[in-house]
Amino acid sequence: MFIIPTYTLAVLFCVVTMLCWGSWANTQKLAAGHWRFELFYWDYVLGICILALLTAFTLGSSGTGGRPFLADVAQADQSNLFLAVLGGIVFNAANILLGAATAIAGMAVAFPVGIGLALVIGVVVNYLDAPVGNATILFGGVALIVLAILLNANAYRKSVDRSTGVSTKGLVLAIVSGCLMGLFYKYVAQSMFPDFNRPEPGKLSPYTAVVFFSVGVLVSNLLFNTLLMLRPFVGKPVSYADYFRGGLRNHLMGVLGGMIWCIGFAFSIIASDQAGPAISYGLGQGATVVAALWGIYVWREFRNAPKSTYRILNVMLLCYVAGLSLLIIAR
C-alpha cells in the first residue's frame, strides 16, 4: 500500500483534506434550488462509498509497504472492523446535523461553529490516545481556534438580530454536530496499526479502515436519513419517490460532494502515520477557514449584516489561521 514517507508530505496531504472538507458543501448549493438536503444526502453517502473502494483498490493495493487491501480484510479482527464501522456511524449522525445546520444558517456559520468545536474536541481526544507533538504549542493553537468560534458565534448573533426569517436553530444544530464530530476520528484511528510500515495482526490498514468507515456511514444512513425525511428540521417531509424524481444534475452533485469529502478523509488518515492523529485531524479541520471564505465572500451569506460584523469575521479568520499554524509547528 502507499505510505507517506515524510512529515512535510503529510502536511501537504492535510492541506488537501482541508480544501476538500471545506468545499464539499458547495455541491449541495450547486444542486437545483428545490433539491432538499435529505435527498442530496443519499447520493453524498454513495459518493463516499465509491471513493473509499477506489482508494482501497488503487493506493491501498499498490507499493511494497504495509499490507494490501484484500489481504488486510482477510486477517482483520472483528473488534477492529467494528471500531471503523462505529466511526462511520458517529460521523454520519454528526454530518447529517451539520448539513441541516448549513441549510438553515449557511456555511459561514455551520462550519466555523460545528467543525471548529469538532476540531477542539477531536484534537484533545486524539492527543490523549496518541500524544504526538508539543502539547503547549498544540493546545495554544486550539485556544486560538476556540476564540475564533466565539467570534463567529457573535457575528452570527449580530446578523440574526438585523435580519428576518433566520433561526438560531442552525447554531444549535452546529454545536451538537461539533460535539459528535469530534469523536468519530478516534475510533477509526484505534482500529489501525499505528506504524503503517509494520502491520500488526488483527489491526487494519488505513485503506481498510476507510472502507469499513464508509460501511458504517451507509448502514446508519438507512436509519438516520429515513428519520430525517419523515421528521425534517426544516420544511415538509419528503419521500423516496421524491428522490427518484430528481434530475441527473441533482444526483451527480451529491455523488461528487461525497467523493470530495472522502478524498479529504482518506488523505487525513494516510497522513496520520507521520503527523499523528491529533495533528492530522486538527489540520484537516482547517476546513472551517475554507468554508467560511466560501460562505462570506462567494455565497455572501452575511450580505445584510452591518460592517462591524465583517470586521469580526475577518478577525475570526486570522485567529483560525494562527491557530492552524501552531498545529503545524507542534510536531
Side-chain angles (χ1 to χ4, degrees):
M1 67 184 198
F2 170 76
I3 299 172
I4 293 179
T6 65
Y7 178 62
T8 301
L9 185 57
V11 169
L12 291 176
F13 268 54
C14 291
V15 170
V16 174
T17 297
M18 179 173 64
L19 294 173
C20 290
W21 282 0
S23 300
W24 72 263
N26 288 311
T27 59
Q28 182 184 344
K29 287 181 173 286
L30 290 172
H34 66 276
W35 192 237
R36 289 276 293 275
F37 167 76
E38 298 87 350
L39 305 177
F40 167 90
Y41 200 74
W42 289 110
D43 295 310
Y44 173 85
V45 168
L46 181 61
I48 290 177
C49 294
I50 292 172
L51 200 284
L53 288 171
L54 285 175
T55 305
F57 283 106
T58 53
L59 294 177
S61 301
S62 61
T64 57
R67 196 161 44 209
F69 171 61
L70 292 178
D72 195 55
V73 173
Q75 63 81 52
D77 284 347
Q78 289 187 354
S79 60
N80 292 314
L81 293 175
F82 172 76
L83 281 172
V85 171
L86 179 60
I89 294 172
V90 174
F91 163 80
N92 199 32
N95 206 46
I96 282 179
L97 293 177
L98 179 66
T102 302
I104 296 170
M107 290 175 68
V109 172
F111 274 70
V113 175
I115 300 301
L117 186 57
L119 186 153
V120 174
I121 295 173
V123 168
V124 172
V125 168
N126 285 291
Y127 187 83
L128 292 176
D129 280 346
V132 177
N134 184 293
T136 302
I137 298 175
L138 185 67
F139 290 107
V142 170
L144 285 172
I145 292 168
V146 170
L147 176 59
I149 294 171
L150 296 175
L151 288 170
N152 189 83
N154 185 46
Y156 180 51
R157 181 183 59 80
K158 289 179 178 293
S159 177
V160 170
D161 290 343
R162 298 252 184 151
S163 61
T164 59
V166 181
S167 172
T168 55
K169 182 190 292 186
L171 187 59
V172 174
L173 289 175
I175 291 171
V176 177
S177 169
C179 292
L180 290 173
M181 190 74 76
L183 299 176
F184 88 89
Y185 198 92
K186 81 163 191 172
Y187 297 119
V188 182
Q190 287 174 351
S191 72
M192 303 184 300
F193 43 87
D195 184 346
F196 293 172
N197 287 293
R198 298 180 180 180
E200 296 180 10
K203 289 284 190 177
L204 310 183
S205 78
Y207 302 94
T208 304
V210 170
V211 168
F212 280 87
F213 165 89
S214 72
V215 170
V217 174
L218 178 63
V219 172
S220 65
N221 202 52
L222 297 174
L223 172 63
F224 295 160
N225 204 24
T226 298
L227 291 175
L228 191 63
M229 290 170 66
L230 296 174
R231 299 291 298 271
F233 291 107
V234 178
K236 297 179 180 180
V238 291
S239 66
Y240 289 108
D242 294 323
Y243 171 81
F244 290 106
R245 283 195 287 266
L248 180 62
R249 173 181 172 178
N250 296 334
H251 294 302
L252 288 179
M253 284 296 104
V255 172
L256 178 61
M259 295 181 75
I260 290 172
W261 186 90
C262 196
I263 289 172
F265 180 58
F267 274 38
S268 178
I269 289 292
I270 297 168
S272 67
D273 179 38
Q274 287 290 332
I279 294 175
S280 182
Y281 179 76
L283 285 178
Q285 293 294 30
T288 311
V289 179
V290 178
L293 290 171
W294 281 110
I296 295 167
Y297 299 109
V298 177
W299 300 110
R300 300 190 62 80
E301 293 169 346
F302 283 86
R303 56 183 170 271
N304 296 323
K307 291 184 178 179
S308 60
T309 301
Y310 276 91
R311 288 195 291 268
I312 295 173
L313 291 169
N314 288 330
V315 174
M316 177 270 291
L317 291 172
L318 288 175
C319 288
Y320 259 115
V321 172
L324 293 172
S325 298
L326 288 179
L327 293 188
I328 292 173
I329 66 174
R331 180 86 192 231

